[in-house]
Amino acid sequence: MLIRSQDKDLLPPAASEITPRAVWQQRRQLLQLAALAGGASLAPWASASQTGERPGKLAALPGARSTLPGASTLEALTPYADVTGYNNFYEFGTDKADPARQAHRLKTRPWTVQVEGLVGKPRSFAIEDLLKLAGMEERIYRLRCVEGWSMVIPWVGYPLAELLKQVQPLGSAKYVEFVSQADPSTMPELRSGVLDWPYTEGLRLDEAMHPLTLLAFGLYGEVLPNQNGAPLRLVVPWKYGFKSAKSLVKIRLVEQPPKTSWNLAAPREYGFYSNVNPEVAHPRWSQANERRLGEPGGLFAKRRPTLPFNGYAAQVAQLYTGMDLRRFY
Ligand SMILES: Nc1nc2c(c(=O)[nH]1)N[C@H]1C(S)=C(S)[C@@H](COP(=O)(O)O)O[C@H]1N2
Ligand SMILES: [Mo]
């Protein structure tokens, strides 16, 4: 492995890729246990960068481990190979292996993100400026896909609120629309009518401002692989994965709920809210449990129960007080 000088201090001795994955997973668990036993001051997990994880050989993007409630978990990380090899990024094809095969075509430089709409200071941000806008944090979130599988991913990023504050949302702004890159010269599936392109998603403004809502630039201590939504994507851990739009080019503050690609494609199946909810079945399948990718046993591994709000109820349930979540699915 080529160790560039800027990366050196990220790598504790003997923790390069020569350490087999099983060993560092185990070491990480030991560190977690030690931290737990040691009590208060240490967050109960070792950050990906601290354990020397540089599994993708992409540019380093370290993040200080977040101490925010909900931004950690003791569950085992999903192996890098699954996080980067089993993806939904329909612009590059609908097979789970297509993004890893095709997304190398995505051109992530130059890259700008337009932040506009009902804001006092609309602005276009170069990716270089976005990378410096706020301190990078590492957060370990569960990602639950509406299709019934889940992963545990160490993301690197900062709260979306940090970016939104820069543009000064007006009082009339109630929702936020997120628009992904749509470049027919690099994204083969744009020729198909499988979704309305560009891929568009939306959140209520208070959801977008919630401290758990992450603007992610990296995972496993490195910049995002293209197939995971480089150079920046949304991660909303309490909602089904499709709310977390990849490769963002536009963020627009608006008064009415924006139209979203999945809701347009199948309104009965994909609502605007899409909070993870084991009690509301998808019209074609139950959402009561999930398969954790990368666990021993593969397809035959025991499925685990899906938790309300994907396990983040303590942090986010109050956003929905008084709402009928069967109606607003
Ligand atoms: N632009 C775009 N963003 C997207 C998607 C997509 O097809 N296009 N798929 C979504 C779905 S369904 C999921 S589950 C997550 C998957 O993220 P991951 O591949 O990084 O695990 O990305 C979401 N963001
Ligand atoms: Mo998904």
Side-chain angles (χ1 to χ4, degrees):
M1 171 183 188
L2 188 72
I3 299 176
R4 282 153 297 157
S5 57
Q6 66 184 93
D7 302 342
K8 269 186 188 144
D9 49 2
L10 286 177
L11 292 168
S16 69
E17 89 276 88
I18 54 161
T19 313
R21 176 158 306 271
V23 172
W24 66 244
Q25 282 270 15
Q26 213 170 38
R27 184 162 58 210
R28 182 172 173 276
Q29 272 153 18
L30 285 173
L31 282 167
Q32 290 172 341
L33 288 173
L36 272 183
S41 65
L42 274 172
W45 70 93
S47 78
S49 44
Q50 278 186 328
T51 49
E53 299 169 23
R54 288 292 309 285
K57 316 217 174 18
L58 301 174
L61 187 67
R65 56 177 104 165
S66 175
T67 52
L68 188 73
S72 68
T73 169
L74 293 174
E75 290 162 74
L77 299 182
T78 301
Y80 187 84
D82 297 289
V83 172
T84 60
Y86 190 94
N87 302 98
N88 277 335
F89 199 166
Y90 273 25
E91 289 86 333
F92 293 103
T94 56
D95 191 275
K96 302 292 179 245
D98 284 340
R101 261 199 311 257
Q102 299 277 6
H104 63 89
R105 300 201 204 174
L106 179 71
K107 297 223 175 3
T108 59
R109 295 293 186 283
W111 192 278
T112 55
V113 181
Q114 189 73 35
V115 190
E116 57 177 46
L118 302 173
V119 298
K121 293 191 165 171
R123 212 188 122 180
S124 157
F125 293 83
I127 185 67
E128 291 77 12
D129 296 330
L130 287 171
L131 284 162
K132 290 183 296 201
L133 190 93
M136 290 289 172
E137 293 176 15
E138 183 180 75
R139 295 184 176 195
I140 302 177
Y141 284 162
R142 287 178 289 279
L143 180 140
R144 169 61 158 82
C145 180
V146 73
E147 295 166 82
W149 44 267
S150 62
M151 303 200 213
V152 179
I153 303 176
W155 300 105
V156 183
Y158 52 74
L160 174 68
E162 297 285 348
L163 173 59
L164 295 180
K165 275 188 255 166
Q166 298 278 321
V167 297
Q168 300 176 4
L170 301 178
S172 51
K174 296 288 185 279
Y175 294 88
V176 188
E177 180 181 52
F178 300 90
V179 184
S180 295
Q181 162 88 294
D183 175 7
S185 74
T186 57
M187 297 170 152
E189 198 70 18
L190 293 192
R191 286 188 299 266
S192 83
V194 61
L195 284 177
D196 260 36
W197 312 109
Y199 192 97
T200 302
E201 259 307 332
L203 295 173
R204 228 168 49 192
L205 183 59
D206 59 343
E207 298 176 323
M209 295 296 287
H210 192 281
L212 282 182
T213 300
L214 193 71
L215 198 55
F217 299 84
L219 58 81
Y220 267 101
E222 304 180 355
V223 298
L224 286 172
N226 287 358
Q227 60 267 37
N228 294 91
L232 80 166
R233 54 94 54 88
L234 195 61
V235 185
V236 193
W238 69 97
K239 292 177 181 278
Y240 291 115
F242 68 85
K243 299 297 286 181
S244 295
K246 296 179 169 179
S247 304
L248 297 173
V249 293
K250 197 175 288 185
I251 298 177
R252 188 185 296 132
L253 286 88
V254 294
E255 194 164 352
Q256 299 297 328
K259 294 209 180 330
T260 66
S261 294
W262 280 106
N263 184 251
L264 287 169
R268 270 184 20 83
E269 302 186 13
Y270 310 107
F272 178 79
Y273 282 94
S274 293
N275 293 316
V276 172
N277 190 342
E279 286 169 15
V280 176
H282 182 279
R284 293 185 278 134
W285 59 83
S286 158
Q287 293 291 19
N289 53 55
E290 66 200 54
R291 175 168 71 92
R292 180 65 48 84
L293 295 186
E295 275 186 347
L299 280 166
F300 304 101
K302 204 164 172 289
R303 292 176 71 90
R304 53 179 79 209
T306 289
L307 301 172
F309 298 105
N310 201 24
Y312 302 94
Q315 287 78 37
V316 303
Q318 92 284 350
L319 292 170
Y320 310 100
T321 319
M323 277 178 69
D324 178 356
L325 294 176
R326 291 184 173 272
R327 184 154 163 245
F328 297 101
Y329 57 92

